[in-house]
Amino acid sequence: MDEFIENVLWDTEFFGIKIGKTIVYDESDFDPLVFYEKAIAQKYELIYVFKYGTMFEQHTVNKAGLELVDIMLTMSKKFIGSDYLDSRYEFRNKLTLKELRDCYKIAEQISAVSRFYYEPKIGPEKTKKLYKKWIDNTVISDISDGFFFIKIKDDVAGINLIKTDDNKKIGFCSLIGVSNKYQRLGIGTKLWMQAFGYWAYEKEINYCMVPFSIKNYKSINFHLKLGFNKIENIKYIYHFRKKEY
């Protein structure tokens, strides 16, 4: 049980509190009392508990001191590259200062659907910084292939950050969003068509995958219309918090 709670070093450093993570597939493998004792003994401020497949029984939640904060669906679409050979795309991995600032604004808007935004131990401001860091990391590292933009005049109206797993032949959406200023103009569809065109020409993939919070029903409905109609997994996300006395 020594590795039952994994220390999440990046999150710990970024948010400034000790954060852990536990992944559970079978509830029978999870002892809530042992978990609770270790969480307290190891002085975690916050622990993410990811339960795959089904929810915990309520008595398990109570004993472990957990709160259900989100339900994430990962949905997939079978990808046939020949369907998108007419899709034009402009792939970017460098930004002007104006483009970077516009991306930051969109990232801050997207952050409002994150579970971190409403987490008392983290809150809105740190969540906004996290999403802006996501943009920075895409520019300077390999966590994503890069950006697709839709620009209206001189404004970045929407962004789509994608990542390709060449070994598994899967294309992932890392982050997608449209500026509040340019909603309902079909920009989300255009962003995806750029990604589809990129994968059709530049990569060899069999599936596209995208995760969503079940709270973001508009995004789920939008992606269903694009053909993301298979649920790959369901992840129930619980948070354990150190109690303040």
Side-chain angles (χ1 to χ4, degrees):
M1 297 290 290
D2 289 342
E3 296 180 355
F4 189 67
I5 302 173
E6 175 188 351
N7 192 7
V8 187
L9 296 176
W10 193 94
D11 292 42
T12 294
E13 182 177 348
F14 186 83
F15 291 124
I17 57 174
K18 187 175 181 180
I19 298 177
K21 177 179 73 174
T22 294
I23 299 174
V24 182
Y25 294 96
D26 187 337
E27 186 165 352
S28 64
D29 295 331
F30 180 79
D31 187 323
L33 295 179
V34 172
F35 167 84
Y36 184 85
E37 290 171 359
K38 285 186 172 290
I40 297 299
Q42 295 174 13
K43 298 182 179 179
Y44 280 101
E45 292 284 334
L46 179 66
I47 301 173
Y48 319 140
V49 180
F50 303 134
K51 175 65 173 67
Y52 283 88
T54 59
M55 298 176 66
F56 281 126
E57 295 290 339
Q58 189 58 44
H59 65 84
T60 299
V61 173
N62 295 340
K63 290 179 180 178
L66 303 178
E67 179 187 347
L68 179 66
V69 296
D70 207 351
I71 302 172
M72 296 294 295
L73 305 179
T74 297
M75 300 184 72
S76 68
K77 166 188 172 72
K78 186 172 177 58
F79 186 77
I80 302 173
S82 59
D83 291 345
Y84 301 101
L85 294 178
D86 293 333
S87 299
R88 297 181 180 181
Y89 60 93
E90 182 182 359
F91 189 64
R92 300 284 299 276
N93 49 27
K94 293 183 179 180
L95 307 175
T96 67
L97 182 59
K98 170 68 165 61
E99 289 169 343
L100 180 62
R101 288 172 177 168
D102 287 350
C103 288
Y104 282 163
K105 289 179 183 177
I106 295 172
E108 288 187 352
Q109 291 166 14
I110 299 170
S111 73
V113 302
S114 169
R115 75 180 193 274
F116 297 124
Y117 196 92
Y118 303 97
E119 168 52 50
K121 295 285 186 179
I122 295 174
E125 293 309 311
K126 287 184 179 179
T127 304
K128 290 176 184 178
K129 290 180 182 179
L130 172 66
Y131 275 65
K132 289 168 69 174
K133 183 67 173 177
W134 203 337
I135 300 294
D136 291 338
N137 286 347
T138 300
V139 176
I140 65 175
S141 73
D142 61 356
I143 65 165
S144 292
D145 291 20
F147 288 83
F148 297 106
F149 283 172
I150 297 292
K151 295 187 76 171
I152 295 179
K153 296 182 180 179
D154 194 39
D155 292 340
V156 176
I159 58 173
N160 190 4
L161 285 59
I162 59 97
K163 176 69 175 177
T164 308
D165 187 325
D166 294 305
N167 293 326
K168 294 182 180 180
K169 296 185 177 181
I170 300 173
F172 293 95
C173 170
S174 299
L175 188 69
I176 186 169
V178 176
S179 168
N180 291 342
K181 184 178 177 181
Y182 296 107
Q183 294 287 330
R184 299 181 180 179
L185 297 178
I187 292 172
T189 299
K190 291 176 182 177
L191 287 167
W192 268 115
M193 294 308 293
Q194 286 202 50
F196 294 153
Y198 165 80
W199 281 319
Y201 276 100
E202 306 288 346
K203 299 289 183 176
E204 184 179 345
I205 66 169
N206 297 325
Y207 292 93
C208 306
M209 292 189 185
V210 60
F212 343 69
S213 166
I214 201 168
K215 300 174 185 176
N216 195 355
Y217 65 91
K218 291 182 180 179
S219 182
I220 294 174
N221 290 336
F222 167 72
H223 284 87
L224 283 170
K225 293 176 182 177
L226 284 177
F228 289 85
N229 53 19
K230 181 182 178 183
I231 297 176
E232 293 290 334
N233 63 62
I234 303 175
K235 179 168 64 175
Y236 297 88
I237 303 177
Y238 298 83
H239 282 185
F240 167 89
R241 302 179 191 93
K242 178 185 176 182
K243 293 181 179 179
E244 303 295 338
Y245 297 96

